[in-house]
Amino acid sequence: MSVANSPAGTSRALKLPEGLRDRLNEILSQLAAAAGLIIVAVALSFASPYFLTSNNLFNIGVQVSIVALVAVGQTLVILTAGIDLSVGSVAGLGGILGTMVIAKLGFPVVPGIIVGVLVGAAIGVVNGLLVTQMRLPPFIATLGMLGVARGLTFIVGGENAVYGLPSSFRLFGEGQIGPVPMPIVYLIVVGAAGYVVLSRTKLGRYAYAIGSNEEAARISGIPLNRYKMAVYIISGALAGFGGMIAASLVHSGQPNYGVGLELNAIAACVIGGASLFGGVGTIGGTLIGAFLIAVITNGAVLLNITQYYQQVIIGVIIWLAVWWDQVRRRRLAAVAAQAHGRRGTEAAQDGQSSIRAQGDDGAPGEAGSARA
Amino acid sequence: MSQASHALVEVREVSKRFPGVQALDSVSVDIRPGEVHAVAGENGAGKSTLMKLLAQLEKPSEGDILVEGERVRFRSPRHAQRLGIAMVHQEFALAPDLSVADNLSLGREHTRAGVIVRGSEKRRARELLERVGVAVDPGRKVSSLAVAEQQRVEIAKALAVDARVVIMDEPTATLTDAEIDSLFELIEQLKGEGIAIFYISHRLDEIMRIADRVTVMRDGQVVETLDKEQLDEGKLIALMVGREIDTLYPKQEAEIGDVVLRVRGLTRPGVLLDCSFEVRAGEILGFAGVVGAGRTELARAVFGADPVSAGCIELDGRELRLGSPGEAIAAGIGYLTEDRKGEGLAMQLSVIDNVTLARIPGRGIWIDRRAERQAAEQRSDELSIRAPSLHRSVEALSGGTQQKVVVAKWLQTDARVMFFDEPTRGIDVGAKAEIFRLLSDLAGKGRAIVLISSYLPELTNMCDRIVVLRDGRTVGELRREEFGEERIMALASGTEKEAA
């Protein structure tokens, strides 16, 4: 009987490791960031007795949650070879408008939070329209929005913070499920949802495809505009949600909230292995990137290292992470090239091949008509 | 031995290893002044790696490279140029936004006190361009030149460094027949000047035409070096593939049924004018014409990838209004693009993801990953896609295998009409025969096939009917018994009156 079973058994056994090996490869590709995270964490646990206390770990979790939530949306946008520079300002605007409708208009807490999220989503709609209808490069579209949303925050809310929020609003950010603070709960839910979207839905697959080769995606019948709109709306909504969590944590709506948040979110994606040229990146990597930044920040506080050094360290980490990623990719490409001949060798020849490919498929339509 | 003493460049027992792979295994080859030495072989045979060693883009693991009998030290591509070895890249290595003159002097700018002297650069550029027989203003941007002109600029760039050995990697891949003829004239001229040319190509007819000697490579080794007198197409193929290929064009007779797709008066201002054709079930229809005649544009318009201003498209007698490729796919039309890298594949995605991209199994927003994997496995068996893993990105696959992945994608959509736009571009002989067998099989199963090719033997051997395009119009139609290369060329170039 075992003999009869073995062929099927072996073929499955052969398939499984293959999938597993690729999964492993994927994890290994994030190893640089993950290893960095572990090394920093171990070092800190020796350097400061306070680091490994549950109190401090939850503290880190709460600190990282907003950046990480926003970075999940940012990952989706970056996968499509886009970028969303407006998330910091959107978090500010969402936080102000959401708290205003609660404090000034007497909205109950939950509808107020939803308003904050919807404001973010609405900004995402505008970003999406700028990119798909006006055909602005995402960098420009969202750079403009960074200014517009911040300006609107002050125009609508004035220069002062929004106070007078009910105490139940505090629970939204400061509550706990068991020992786990709410922001960590939100992060787990959004992170898991992000993972599912990327791995199991058409939105995720199309985001990868659009970022990898937009024209190939179009020729494959993918409605580009619809899916591009979707990623900017998701990114905006998550930024609005992050803004509401921040407001709850400080019991007020702060018009200055979120300045520079976009850079931390993008840094988290990049440290986690996402490529700004699109098509490459994972939620797991982004979360690791976000935690690495947060742990370093936390460690610096514990060890009394000034903020200026933190900024230097994080900047250097961005360099190292991207450098490592390129080294790894070049090596993989070289191996593949030799295994499979000419086409790959071109890729191996220089790390810029993906950049060149991006440039090449810039305007195939025009090229076609120019020829005729 | 006496041969070696005449050699301008000699590669002596050179090997190249990459982690886990032996790319070149003790390869020896030489080239003499004024000689065209073709290097033939399938993808992965090691041709390009060998050329990269010569151009010092890669460092040999073992063995020596000698220039005029002197051992050469590996340094940089620039060093290779100084030794007189220059490469004309398959994908031109020009800076598209710089002018022709700037490109020609790139890296060797003539400066005075750190400032580039433009006048002398332009003069030199003009001389070089004249030598390669292209009349373009050196002040023009490279991106504004036609492909064939860009190639001339690349060759001029090689001459600019006084190259004595010029490596040409698939130089005709994107050229029309007339441009190829003119390129060959230039090669003859360069030969006359004593310049030696390493000529890498898949196209055997070109090798037969131009080469003085041919070195056939397979699996990183030199199989044989043949002199012009020993050349024979069948022998070359057998040497390259390592086995006899019974036929390159396995055309089967299929039962030709009803008209599936009928296109009438399709017009796109400035691009297509009043194009009409029809294709039947089981039929392979060819689109012939020179580059720019509108073959690709017509396919794209039918597929909904480009807007049209007039005309109608009928599928099974029902008129279609196609606004996007998505609608065309849903209606049952597929389009395998001519530019595999630029429009065909999402390079970073896996084989599975690419195969199912145009039709992902699943419901609503969800992907059914098991069905997806099964579909990809089935297609890869069907097309014998040789990939180490279906989970790997397609980036690492050979050109032929990549092309099969694109074919699999369109099979996966169950398209009943399929456009194949230059499906054999940049793939090797073995893979070509496989692609053609597949076209035949598809036609045999009652699909309607449109084959676009710039290489006439592909059309005359594979098609049941050929539609000729010129200047964006369908100007003639030939049945199989009327096929003849002269006839097609006459229609395509406008020397014969329209037959339709």
Side-chain angles (χ1 to χ4, degrees):
Chain A
M1 204 169 77
S2 66
V3 176
N5 273 342
S6 68
T10 42
S11 81
R12 201 169 302 137
L14 279 173
K15 291 250 159 63
L16 193 70
E18 180 190 84
L20 266 181
R21 206 173 50 219
D22 288 315
R23 195 64 48 80
L24 259 173
N25 243 329
E26 215 178 291
I27 295 167
L28 271 174
S29 71
Q30 287 159 18
L31 191 75
L37 181 58
I38 292 167
I39 289 167
V40 172
V42 169
L44 282 175
S45 64
F46 283 108
S48 163
Y50 182 67
F51 177 75
L52 265 188
T53 59
S54 64
N55 219 343
N56 186 51
L57 292 181
F58 279 134
N59 185 18
I60 294 175
V62 171
Q63 303 239 311
V64 78
S65 61
I66 298 174
V67 173
L69 280 174
V70 172
V72 167
Q74 188 74 249
T75 305
L76 265 173
V77 176
I78 286 178
L79 278 178
T80 67
I83 197 157
D84 189 348
L85 294 174
S86 69
V87 286
S89 299
V90 173
L93 182 64
I96 283 292
L97 291 179
T99 51
M100 277 178 75
V101 297
I102 297 172
K104 308 259 158 82
L105 300 181
F107 273 47
V109 168
V110 172
I113 294 166
I114 291 174
V115 166
V117 174
L118 288 181
V119 167
I123 298 281
V125 170
V126 178
N127 280 334
L129 289 173
L130 290 171
V131 170
T132 60
Q133 302 305 314
M134 285 181 66
R135 307 206 162 265
L136 293 180
F139 187 96
I140 301 301
T142 59
L143 179 65
M145 186 56 80
L146 180 148
V148 169
R150 182 65 65 192
L152 283 177
T153 308
F154 285 99
I155 291 168
V156 175
E159 283 181 16
N160 298 322
V162 177
Y163 291 106
L165 293 159
S167 59
S168 54
F169 181 62
R170 289 187 175 195
L171 280 179
F172 168 59
E174 293 197 326
Q176 295 182 339
I177 290 184
V180 186
M182 288 312 286
I184 299 180
V185 174
Y186 302 140
L187 176 57
I188 292 169
V189 171
V190 171
Y195 176 80
V196 171
V197 165
L198 285 196
S199 58
R200 279 157 214 263
T201 69
K202 291 179 184 173
L203 170 60
R205 176 68 50 77
Y206 292 163
Y208 280 106
I210 292 169
S212 181
N213 187 341
E214 186 167 320
E215 186 60 13
R218 192 172 85 91
I219 293 289
S220 297
I222 296 168
L224 300 179
N225 289 353
R226 193 191 305 168
Y227 285 95
K228 283 188 184 173
M229 289 292 295
V231 298
Y232 288 97
I233 292 171
I234 291 172
S235 175
L238 285 172
F241 189 55
M244 291 307 289
I245 298 174
S248 171
L249 289 174
V250 296
H251 319 313
S252 59
Q254 299 287 344
N256 264 322
Y257 176 72
V259 173
L261 176 63
E262 64 282 345
L263 296 183
N264 280 329
I266 294 166
C269 296
V270 169
I271 291 173
S275 161
L276 291 180
F277 296 109
V280 179
T282 58
I283 293 295
T286 294
L287 294 183
I288 288 170
F291 270 96
L292 183 57
I293 297 173
V295 165
I296 287 170
T297 310
N298 176 263
V301 172
L302 293 183
L303 301 179
N304 277 326
I305 298 171
T306 71
Q307 201 197 339
Y308 309 123
Y309 282 103
Q310 296 170 29
Q311 291 172 342
V312 171
I313 292 169
I314 290 169
V316 170
I317 285 175
I318 292 175
W319 290 339
L320 289 177
V322 174
W323 168 76
W324 165 253
D325 206 48
Q326 283 179 352
V327 168
R328 191 182 54 84
R329 248 174 256 269
R330 235 172 282 158
R331 210 170 33 206
L332 275 181
V335 173
Q338 288 324 304
H340 302 292
R342 202 194 72 238
R343 167 54 207 98
T345 324
E346 290 160 12
Q349 189 185 322
D350 51 11
Q352 295 168 339
S353 68
S354 62
I355 299 170
R356 205 189 310 139
Q358 290 267 347
D360 283 350
D361 58 34
E366 283 134 72
S369 50
R371 245 185 315 162
Chain B
M1 272 296 102
S2 68
Q3 276 187 1
S5 64
H6 293 147
L8 191 53
V9 173
E10 188 190 353
V11 172
R12 202 178 277 170
E13 288 174 13
V14 158
S15 296
K16 175 69 184 173
R17 271 183 305 277
F18 289 96
V21 193
Q22 183 87 34
L24 288 179
D25 184 8
S26 190
V27 166
S28 297
V29 66
D30 65 87
I31 192 163
R32 301 163 204 157
E35 173 187 51
V36 175
H37 191 149
V39 182
E42 300 209 279
N43 280 332
K47 304 175 305 244
S48 288
T49 306
L50 176 61
M51 295 303 130
K52 283 194 176 131
L53 297 188
L54 280 171
Q56 302 209 0
L57 289 161
E58 300 271 6
K59 188 178 173 171
S61 310
E62 269 162 39
D64 292 318
I65 293 175
L66 293 83
V67 174
E68 293 188 320
E70 296 259 326
R71 268 193 62 207
V72 164
R73 274 188 40 209
F74 176 85
R75 280 208 196 101
S76 67
R78 207 182 159 95
H79 182 58
Q81 286 181 0
R82 238 174 259 137
L83 293 167
I85 303 173
M87 191 153 173
V88 174
H89 290 268
Q90 189 180 6
E91 282 154 24
F92 311 126
L94 300 171
D97 292 323
L98 296 188
S99 72
V100 172
D102 288 345
N103 265 288
L104 286 176
S105 58
L106 203 60
R108 297 164 303 99
E109 285 80 2
H110 178 202
T111 58
R112 197 172 293 147
V115 178
I116 296 176
V117 185
R118 295 232 164 226
S120 75
E121 282 192 351
K122 270 209 175 145
R123 222 171 309 121
R124 176 121 173 84
R126 218 166 269 133
E127 282 167 27
L128 287 165
L129 292 172
E130 202 169 301
R131 220 170 128 201
V132 297
V134 58
V136 299
D137 174 8
R140 266 173 74 187
K141 268 191 186 183
V142 162
S143 58
S144 73
L145 303 183
V147 173
E149 290 170 336
Q150 292 190 20
Q151 184 176 52
R152 291 298 167 100
V153 175
E154 267 269 316
I155 296 172
K157 209 173 144 186
L159 299 182
V161 297
D162 294 323
R164 289 174 298 166
V165 177
V166 176
I167 301 168
M168 295 189 182
D169 192 357
E170 301 277 356
T172 59
T174 49
L175 301 186
T176 62
D177 285 345
E179 287 165 347
I180 291 173
D181 288 342
S182 142
L183 174 70
F184 284 1
E185 280 167 27
L186 175 60
I187 289 178
E188 289 295 335
Q189 175 202 326
L190 296 177
K191 269 175 71 169
E193 295 172 22
I195 292 173
I197 289 159
F198 266 121
Y199 189 91
I200 302 181
S201 181
H202 285 106
R203 296 193 185 171
L204 295 179
D205 58 324
E206 288 174 6
I207 290 178
M208 304 284 295
R209 241 173 97 186
I210 192 93
D212 297 310
R213 279 193 297 163
V214 180
T215 291
V216 179
M217 294 186 69
R218 190 171 72 230
D219 300 330
Q221 295 176 321
V222 169
V223 185
E224 208 173 331
T225 298
L226 302 165
D227 283 324
K228 198 180 181 86
E229 304 77 52
Q230 304 168 276
L231 288 183
D232 166 78
E233 201 162 318
K235 186 174 176 186
L236 273 182
I237 293 179
L239 287 174
M240 280 164 66
V241 185
R243 63 191 144 86
E244 300 276 341
I245 287 189
D246 42 351
T247 170
L248 200 51
Y249 303 109
K251 167 79 178 161
Q252 305 155 6
E253 289 310 318
E255 196 176 314
I256 294 178
D258 295 334
V259 171
V260 181
L261 178 76
R262 175 176 283 130
V263 173
R264 286 281 164 263
L266 213 60
T267 298
R268 183 181 170 210
V271 182
L272 298 171
L273 184 65
D274 196 21
C275 288
S276 302
F277 69 95
E278 57 188 39
V279 55
R280 294 166 176 271
E283 187 183 36
I284 301 181
L285 173 71
F287 278 2
V290 299
V291 170
R295 296 166 303 169
T296 295
E297 290 75 8
L298 180 53
R300 288 178 61 95
V302 173
F303 186 63
D306 294 327
V308 294
S309 59
C312 83
I313 300 166
E314 278 174 28
L315 196 67
D316 294 329
R318 252 179 348 125
E319 192 173 340
L320 295 178
R321 288 259 153 253
L322 298 178
S324 71
E327 289 164 30
I329 292 167
I333 303 176
Y335 172 46
L336 184 135
T337 55
E338 64 178 326
D339 182 358
R340 189 165 57 238
K341 224 159 124 188
E343 306 165 331
L345 290 168
M347 284 293 175
Q348 285 100 340
L349 302 200
S350 69
V351 177
I352 297 178
D353 294 356
N354 271 290
V355 169
T356 59
L357 194 57
R359 177 169 289 179
I360 301 187
R363 197 179 294 172
I365 63 166
W366 301 102
I367 295 173
D368 182 343
R369 295 216 292 185
R370 179 182 296 178
E372 187 180 42
R373 203 188 57 233
Q374 282 167 353
E377 276 167 5
Q378 191 197 330
R379 295 296 172 201
S380 93
D381 285 348
E382 204 176 316
L383 303 181
S384 43
I385 292 175
R386 284 179 291 270
S389 155
L390 298 180
H391 296 274
R392 292 285 172 76
S393 68
V394 294
E395 210 163 12
L397 304 176
S398 71
T401 311
Q402 287 180 342
Q403 191 67 301
K404 287 190 199 169
V405 173
V406 188
V407 173
K409 173 169 83 175
W410 293 113
L411 291 185
Q412 188 61 23
T413 64
D414 279 330
R416 280 171 315 133
V417 183
M418 279 212 249
F419 290 85
F420 287 85
D421 198 348
E422 304 282 1
T424 61
R425 174 173 292 174
I427 68 179
D428 53 52
V429 181
K432 254 180 209 177
E434 281 186 80
I435 295 277
F436 285 135
R437 174 157 300 121
L438 195 95
L439 288 191
S440 255
D441 288 349
L442 287 173
K445 285 179 191 149
R447 314 247 179 142
I449 308 286
V450 178
L451 173 63
I452 302 176
S453 174
S454 295
Y455 188 51
L456 285 179
E458 293 189 352
L459 293 178
T460 52
N461 282 292
M462 291 305 298
C463 296
D464 299 297
R465 217 156 35 93
I466 291 175
V467 165
V468 183
L469 283 94
R470 184 177 73 240
D471 299 333
R473 294 181 307 143
T474 44
V475 293
E477 189 183 307
L478 301 171
R479 286 190 313 272
R480 198 167 170 82
E481 53 276 18
E482 303 170 312
F483 286 180
E485 300 201 3
E486 298 77 20
R487 189 78 197 284
I488 298 170
M489 280 320 297
L491 276 172
S493 58
T495 50
E496 182 179 313
K497 281 283 155 256
E498 301 179 12

